[in-house]
Amino acid sequence: MTAVALATLVLPDTIMLAACLVLTLAVLTFVFWIEPDPGDSAPHRSQLDQLMERRDSIYENLRDLKFENRAGKYAEQDYEQMKESLENEAARVLMEIENVTGNQAPLPRRDPSVAPAPRS
C-alpha cells in the first residue's frame, strides 16, 4: 500500500475517534462541572399558592356536585352529605389561607347580594 492510500484509511477513523472524545469531554464537563442556577429550575409554589389552588378546586367540585344533583345523579341525602363535606373542607382551607396571610392581605370575596350572571 502506498502512503496516500494508508493515510486515507486511517484519517477518517482518527477524525471519528477525536470527535467522539471531544463530545464525551463536553458532556462530562456539562454534567459534572457546570452547576445549575437555582433560577433556572421551575418556580416553587408557595404555601399560599397551594392553598388558593386547593380552594379553587373545592369550589369547582361544589359547582360540579350541584350540577350533578340537578341532573338527578345523587339522592338528596347523599348530595347534602357530600356538599357538607366539601363546605367543611373549604372552610378549613380558607382558615389556613387567613393564617398564612396573617389577615393582612384580604382575598377578594364575592358580594352575596350580587347574584352571578346566569349561564346560557
Side-chain angles (χ1 to χ4, degrees):
M1 261 193 206
T2 64
V4 174
L6 186 59
T8 57
L9 290 176
V10 175
L11 188 60
D13 290 338
T14 306
I15 292 173
M16 186 62 71
L17 182 61
C20 289
L21 286 174
V22 168
L23 182 62
T24 301
L25 287 174
V27 168
L28 290 174
T29 301
F30 180 77
V31 170
F32 295 111
W33 190 308
I34 298 175
E35 295 182 21
D37 183 16
D40 291 343
S41 62
H44 297 287
R45 297 182 317 163
S46 69
Q47 182 181 8
L48 181 59
D49 292 334
Q50 293 173 5
L51 288 170
M52 291 179 73
E53 185 177 312
R54 181 69 187 136
R55 176 198 66 181
D56 295 341
S57 174
I58 293 169
Y59 287 162
E60 184 177 337
N61 289 342
L62 278 167
R63 281 190 299 273
D64 291 344
L65 181 65
K66 187 175 182 179
F67 175 79
E68 290 173 354
N69 182 54
R70 287 182 179 171
K73 188 171 183 180
Y74 299 113
E76 192 62 32
Q77 183 180 5
D78 293 339
Y79 166 73
E80 289 297 328
Q81 192 176 25
M82 287 186 281
K83 178 182 163 195
E84 184 178 335
S85 173
L86 285 171
E87 287 174 344
N88 289 338
E89 188 175 353
R92 282 192 300 272
V93 170
L94 290 174
M95 285 184 358
E96 287 183 48
I97 288 173
E98 287 184 6
N99 288 338
V100 167
T101 60
N103 296 332
Q104 295 173 2
L107 300 175
R109 297 181 183 177
R110 288 189 293 157
D111 186 1
S113 64
V114 178
R119 295 182 183 175
S120 299

